[in-house]
Amino acid sequence: MDDLNVKNPPTLKQFVPTPPRPPRQSKSGIFGTIRQRCFNSIGNSVLTLCVIAVLFYLVKHVLDWAVFNAVFIADNRRQCMDISPDGACWAGVISWFNGLIYGRFPVDEQWRVNVGVLLGLVWLLPLMSKRIPLRNVILLSWIGLYPFVGAYLFLGGRFGAELGWVHGVMTCLALAFLTIIYANWILSVWDKKGLNELFVPLVSRFVERRIHLLSFVAAWLLIALVMAFALNQVSLEPVAIERWGGLFLTFIIASFAITMAIPIGVVLALGRRSKLPVIHWLSMTVIELVRSVPLITVLFMAVTLLPIFLPADVEFNKLAQVLVAVCIFAGAYMAENIRGGLQAIPKGQYEAAATLGLGYLHTMALIILPQALRMMIPNIMTSFISLLKDTTLVSIIGLFDIMLMARNIANDKDWVGMHTEPLVMISVLFFLFCYSMSQYSLTLEKRLKVDR
Amino acid sequence: MMTSSGHLATKNTTNTAIKIDKLNKWYGDHHVLKDVSLDISEGEIMVVCGPSGSGKSTLIRSLNHLEDYQEGVVSVFGQPLSRDRQSHKIIHQTMGMVFQNFNLFPHLTVLQNCTLGLTWLRKMSERDADKMAMRLLDRVGIAQLATRYPGQLSGGQQQRVAISRSLAMEPKIMLFDEPTSALDPEMVKEVLDVMIDLAKTGMTMVCVTHEMQFAKQVADRVVFMADGEIIEVGPPEQVLVNPQWDRTKEFLQHVL
Ligand SMILES: Nc1ncnc2c1ncn2[C@@H]1O[C@H](COP(=O)(O)OP(=O)(O)OP(=O)(O)O)[C@@H](O)[C@H]1O
Ligand SMILES: [Mg+2]
């Protein structure tokens, strides 16, 4: 090694690197670029013109139908036809709009759906901010606590009566948690200490260890108590689950499936790789069985077969059955995605974890799964998107989701036979959701790629 | 001879760090370790060399149970290891390992790579773990890179992080499996310097390496392996300068 460091003898020529120079800028501007790309040869020019002509023809017809010849204000389909026979009749969709979004949810109570969905989104908002510590905990709290708030709002009833005390308590805890998240966020903007820190002096008088955790719990319980008193004052009109519907129901099913898909998928995928034969075969059977059957069949089985297996006195509503079915379906597909990710992790990662002394759970949770999931983001997002679309199938077993509501429009005596417009509207809605999901997955990928 | 509690037999009962007794391993019918026996004392620097496929990796990986072996006994500080929980605990408390291709965790920063074991296994507070990891990173000369991700480092820097990561768990024995073979020549030296420093601290080290300069400089003994057998063991001046066997001589002519 020492002989590597020999000084250069003075007779050698000295190497001076050539100074770097910037790359050539294209000066031609946007028209130049278009000319270069699209009209650089005769064949290409002809092709470009043809494409433009076809596009123009298509766009013109679509716009004519959807905008220029469309009817927005009418009382029924006949009127629409009279005003403009070859345009879209958006009046029908508009008059049924509420139904498409909320299903048969009572009109006076629809604000509760808005508030519930908004709360769910607001809960997730802090995940976008880098300021907030322990974002995983917020995500977990959303999965574990938000459903209680949502159900409380959507189902209604007096506090602790219709839904039981446990549900009431969980709702209070959930609302208190949300309050703390936001209070701490706002306080952190002003560089103040979090709400839970207020209790540190008090708590440290009684205990020595885990002061921060306990003061957090103290703050949480106190706020939950306040929430309980507040909720006790109001009583919401009960709404039966059968009245849930429209896009709202689609959202509930899809978000349930999406949040449960990863945990179920992870368990199934790890089970499939397990060395214990029972677990291995069980996971494999579930995965292969569910994957080789169409979702409709799984849904029908859930609705018809599940009650047979359950004891007779357990009343299971249709939505719960559907949720179970969709979750298992989503989980089985996700398991295969995750298995693909797991296989791509080199053996060296397991060995490095083992030599550090990490056990199975630590290795999986800290080393392997974070990498595997990250690697599979595109596939996972694709699954999520198809899940969102697949949930429209539940209309077949009689849940009033957005598809069934759309078909109801065609059965309405005022809008008999109106099929196209609602479907177009649903397509546009779904396109917006799915497209933003795939865009989000792209940004997520880009953000995480910085790490490597 | 020893206490059976979780703690290791101490130096006064034996100063043998690792005792390998008649180790045999087969891959199917392929006999890759043949009656390998070797004693490594505490604080000893042992360099293992030999041609490709001679079983060096298999041997060193058998020591911390990354590989199974069919016959023989490995004892660490007097305690024979088996496949039970207790043995695993002993292995993780006493041995660290550095791999040829680093095996850093790519989704964690350099600092997180080093503190992972401390916070999750030792239950150390984050602040203490950070402090300890920074001290180790400073020792290998890359404290300024603590917030980077492994993918943003050169090979030599990655290997130094890997060494710090192992050292964070405070092992008594360090195993190195060709730590410099995946590196460009310019980076070999920075890793070897770290290893030389480590050797001076009295760490017990078992290094599979082809860096004969390193062997001559710091090794207490050199083991030469071929075809799954230990052919020669001895101080570097003896094995590397005056080998007793033709096989060793042939090999040395290729590497030196
Ligand atoms: N997983 C395996 N399955 C079957 N044979 C294996 C396996 N791993 C190693 N071997 C064989 O065991 C023998 C010893 O391999 P080992 O990796 O220990 O050699 P080595 O001395 O480390 O070589 P190198 O210097 O190339 O790393 C080789 O002949 C190899 O072909
Ligand atoms: Mg090897």
Side-chain angles (χ1 to χ4, degrees), chain A residues 1-5 346-359 362-363 365-371 374 448-452, chain B residues 61 64 66 92 95-97 99 103-108 113 116-117 120-121 123 149-152 165-166 169 185 189 192 196 213-214 217:
Chain A
M1 274 159 299
D2 292 342
D3 45 13
L4 285 174
N5 299 339
K347 212 171 121 220
Q349 294 286 311
Y350 291 93
E351 291 178 350
T355 50
L356 282 183
L358 295 172
H362 276 142
T363 306
L366 300 173
I367 312 292
I368 306 300
L369 283 173
Q371 293 185 59
R374 224 169 266 211
L448 293 175
K449 201 172 269 166
V450 182
D451 301 1
R452 344 203 111 226
Chain B
R61 289 158 58 86
N64 62 355
L66 285 184
H92 299 142
M95 294 199 244
M97 186 165 197
F99 301 87
N103 291 343
L104 291 177
F105 304 129
H107 61 300
L108 301 176
N113 263 280
L116 186 79
W120 287 95
L121 298 176
K123 310 284 181 204
Y149 287 90
Q152 301 167 317
R165 179 177 69 179
S166 290
M169 301 307 286
K189 186 174 175 307
L192 287 183
I196 292 169
Q213 275 294 352
F214 172 78
Q217 203 177 334

Side-chain angles (χ1 to χ4, degrees), chain A residues 423-444:
Chain A
L423 284 179
V424 169
M425 142 108 181
I426 291 176
S427 308
V428 171
L429 271 181
F430 270 83
F431 174 77
L432 286 181
F433 292 130
C434 295
Y435 186 70
S436 30
M437 276 166 87
S438 79
Q439 284 303 307
Y440 178 69
S441 113
L442 282 183
T443 50
L444 199 65

Side-chain angles (χ1 to χ4, degrees), chain B residues 50-167:
Chain B
S52 183
S54 56
K56 310 179 297 289
S57 297
T58 311
L59 175 64
I60 197 171
R61 289 158 58 86
S62 299
L63 300 183
N64 62 355
H65 283 188
L66 285 184
E67 300 279 356
D68 272 326
Y69 43 86
Q70 285 87 353
E71 285 174 18
V73 181
V74 174
S75 312
V76 175
F77 293 109
Q79 297 217 339
L81 301 179
S82 57
R83 288 278 147 194
D84 58 7
R85 226 159 224 271
Q86 184 67 27
S87 300
H88 274 286
K89 206 167 152 194
I90 293 173
I91 288 173
H92 299 142
Q93 281 174 352
T94 54
M95 294 199 244
M97 186 165 197
V98 174
F99 301 87
Q100 179 173 356
N101 39 14
F102 329 132
N103 291 343
L104 291 177
F105 304 129
H107 61 300
L108 301 176
T109 63
V110 165
L111 188 64
Q112 287 167 340
N113 263 280
C114 297
T115 56
L116 186 79
L118 297 176
T119 48
W120 287 95
L121 298 176
R122 294 279 172 79
K123 310 284 181 204
M124 218 184 242
S125 79
E126 210 162 299
R127 181 145 15 105
D128 292 347
D130 283 357
K131 221 185 280 170
M132 178 163 175
M134 285 310 286
R135 208 170 51 234
L136 286 167
L137 288 173
D138 196 38
R139 196 165 128 196
V140 300
I142 42 177
Q144 75 281 7
L145 303 179
T147 54
R148 294 236 199 135
Y149 287 90
Q152 301 167 317
L153 303 184
S154 75
Q157 291 167 338
Q158 289 193 44
Q159 193 61 295
R160 286 186 281 161
V161 175
I163 294 175
S164 325
R165 179 177 69 179
S166 290
L167 290 179

